Amino acid sequence: MRMWKRRGLLPAAALLALTLPLSGSLVPDTAATAAPRITTPERFFGFPLGAEGRLARWDDLVRYYKFVADRSDKVVYQEIGRSAAGLPFPLLTVSSRDNLRNLDRIKQANRRLADPRGLTEAEARRLAAQSKPVFLLEAAIHSTEVGTAQVIPNILHRLADEKSTTISEILDNVVLLIIPAQSPDGTKWVGDYFNYTAGTNYARTYPDLYQKYIGHDDNRDWFMFTQPETQISVALQNEWKPQVVQNLHQMGNARGRIFVPPYLSPNDPNIDPITVQQTNSLGMEISRSLTAEGKKGVNWGSTYDYWTPSRQYMTYHGAPRILVEAASAQDLAYTYRSSDGGPIGPQEPDTNFIEPYDKSTWTLAQIVDYLDTSVFGALSNVAKYRTEWLYNFYRTQRNAVEPSADKPFAYVAPAGQRDPFATYELLRTLQTGEVEIEQATSAFTANGKRYEAGSWVIRYAQPYGRFAKTLLEKQHYPDLREYPGGPPQNPYDVTAQTLPMLLGVQVDTVADPFTASTVRVKKVQPANPAFPGDPGRGGAYLVGPESYGTAMMIAALQKAGVETFRASAEFSAAGRTYAPGTLIVEPTAAARAALQGVSRKTGIPVSAVGQAPRVAAERLKDHTRVGLFRGVNNIPGGWMKWLFEQYDIGFTEVVAGDFAGDLNAKFDTIVLPAGISRSDIVSGLSRDRYPAEWSWAYGVGEAGWAKLRAFVEKGGTLLAIGDSVATARQLASLPITPALPTDEHVFFSPGSILSQRFDTSDPVAWGMRPDTPVWFGEDDQAYDVAGGDVVSSFPESGEQLQSGWLIGGEHLNGKANIVKHQVGEGLIVTFGSEPTFRTWSRDPSKLLFNAIYHGPSTTVDAAALPGQLRG
């Protein structure tokens, strides 16, 4: 629904700038001939960037970047990839002519400092003295934070055009990389929609996800690397090894006017102390610059912490993350006014808030101005102390590669993992983050345990061992309160990201040194199990349920129209025991092609038996029709959409127009992702506030609400995730009651990994380990159950926390998480916690896929199964 069209080409003033002679003249200087001046952004766009109610469109911003690069020998424009929606992803490289001619040498020096193994102290000092630091500036990460995109032309023009000692020092001593929009798609959509709705009664802010799948979560992807924008930016950092990364953002408009580091506690202990202190010092230098220019309302040490890698890849790779958050304007580009006419924001000075803001208004122009100062304050410091920045970068990397008594020696992922696809994804994630991986060529012993040949070894003492450590170990988030005995100090995001738990991979931490014969893994590849021969007529292909990649097998079989069964009980065949949920597939050419293709991609083994097993089973409905309810600006649903597409799940988005007809005629299973309320379904977007292009989200009224219930009663399956369980409870009066205290003093789980107990005989839990941990966030819930079948629950006693932070875990004891409810002829499955949170939580995603196909399936008894396979 990206239907907003630009109403013209460049503004008239911009066209004039392209056709008329540039300002300035070729008049001889006493020293040299002066270069032509670069057209200002104001002249190019026809208005000053930051003007009331005006936003430069993305297409015009890109034209300006190309325009400046064409006319300046200090700027290089490149397109280094494509966004999720297919737009070019620009990069601007800005530096002196000499530096631009020597970029390869600068990269080479940075790479040597980044991996100082074998580098002497004297050589490191020489490289630091001779090279130039790299500064990466990222803007328009969140597309509705429009000031961050609007400021870039001003920054670029000043660097390309200004003839001052300050700018000369920056250009001579720094290589600046500018990503003018980390989300090009959203920057275009938000700007075009704002301009399209000018002069109307429509809401001015783009109402939907401004990244194709994940919207505001586009900077929560810094360790799973799912989106093309993340992959491009991470590849850029891996190539250049920047010494500083500055992220431009906007925050709410009622607090201080701008946030800069230092951050609020805690710091992730896996961030090098030098990096933390450099973050603090550069943040304070920005604060000084703002205050010196009379810009009030500068705040540090609040709200934003330095914890999770999902937002700060760079900090585990030697570069401080300099987060700058300017307060937002009203409706993107209009003046924000205090409600009482007094000054905006807190008025009590403090150490971390020296000068309160003393005006009652706040404008986009001020946002652009504050952000501009923050960038040049940081750049000037790095330019002035370039040698120190480079040498301290070397020091952080030297710390990384040197063994330490208080750090583990290595991590070992044993060969023969339960889920080869999960193992591949974990290792691939580490390798994308430049973590070195070795594979054992023979068996070895470590920490008293024998590991077979093929096991993977990740040593801590390597350039990016810190990144491996923060992903592979449990997180121990400190118990931080607003005051002793008071409510918890909310983490800015979540508190846990332990990949082995999230993916279902065994990884052992080994403290003491050991010896093993290994080879370096150049590129992680999926396992390559031998594919079996044709099982023959009356035989079957078998696929165990242990891998979450089995969902891809089912999807491929459904697409190929292959008759597929899942065993309802454990059985034995050809000397092996198979778990409930094992796929039993008819031995056709289409089945073989589908299974072999997915096996190659995932490493999941496929078996074949000459006689189909005699076991009770479920026959999956051919071409199961899956519906994913599309909530406007629904981030969990966006993540789920991405996951469904990756696994090639045949699904359709459920929109308002579908409720005009019979839902059962269109869908077998409908999924309500987290964040879908009754109001989202019944009321939706206002018809008066949003144009007809958004009619898919207008809401379906009480009649539509009744049709959703009728869908279930007539045999449909409804899955409700996270806080959408409350919606399903309202819909069908389900016999479950929220069990957790609402007082954060008493219970608090801010994105943690918790214990769980599964009934693995239930079809929804097929393939799960009985004690698989689950993700549990602030909006998730546990339940007291008066009816239905409990699929999973929290242990009756003991430690509920596996990784992260939890207050009041005892309130979870024995409470239900996943419950199945028979409603009329249909099924509702409620998931108290999100099994696919941000797609980080991959192992529990089996629960979702099991439920999708279980509801529409039919029961087949043991005697009938072989005959059905023979056809």
Side-chain angles (χ1 to χ4, degrees), residues 549-569:
T550 302
M552 299 170 72
M553 294 279 191
I554 296 174
L557 293 167
Q558 291 254 314
K559 190 173 182 179
V562 174
E563 188 173 35
T564 305
F565 299 80
R566 299 195 77 176
S568 298

Side-chain angles (χ1 to χ4, degrees), residues 80 128 152 205 258 358 362 371 550 619 654 666 716 827 869:
I80 58 173
I152 296 299
T205 302
I258 193 168
D358 56 4
W362 177 250
L371 291 173
T550 302
R619 184 188 187 282
V654 182
K666 294 184 177 182
L827 186 70
L869 282 175

Side-chain angles (χ1 to χ4, degrees), residues 386-403:
R386 67 173 182 84
T387 301
E388 287 85 347
W389 276 99
L390 284 165
Y391 188 68
N392 280 331
F393 177 72
Y394 155 75
R395 283 170 161 163
T396 67
Q397 297 307 100
R398 184 187 61 190
N399 290 345
V401 301
E402 291 179 348

Side-chain angles (χ1 to χ4, degrees), residues 754-770:
L754 306 185
S755 301
Q756 195 78 167
R757 298 291 180 266
F758 286 93
D759 176 3
T760 56
S761 67
D762 190 289
V764 174
W766 282 341
M768 301 296 289
R769 288 164 289 131

Side-chain angles (χ1 to χ4, degrees), residues 220-227 230-231 309-310 425 428-429 432 467 471 499 502-503 548 639 642 838-842:
R220 270 70 170 172
D221 189 38
W222 287 101
F223 68 82
M224 290 298 273
F225 314 122
T226 68
Q227 303 302 306
T230 311
Q231 295 160 9
S310 66
E425 291 210 309
R428 185 182 63 182
T429 296
T432 301
F467 188 61
L471 294 185
L499 271 190
L502 294 168
L503 272 64
Y548 56 81
W639 279 109
W642 179 86
R838 290 180 182 165
T839 73
W840 302 354
S841 182
R842 300 262 171 113

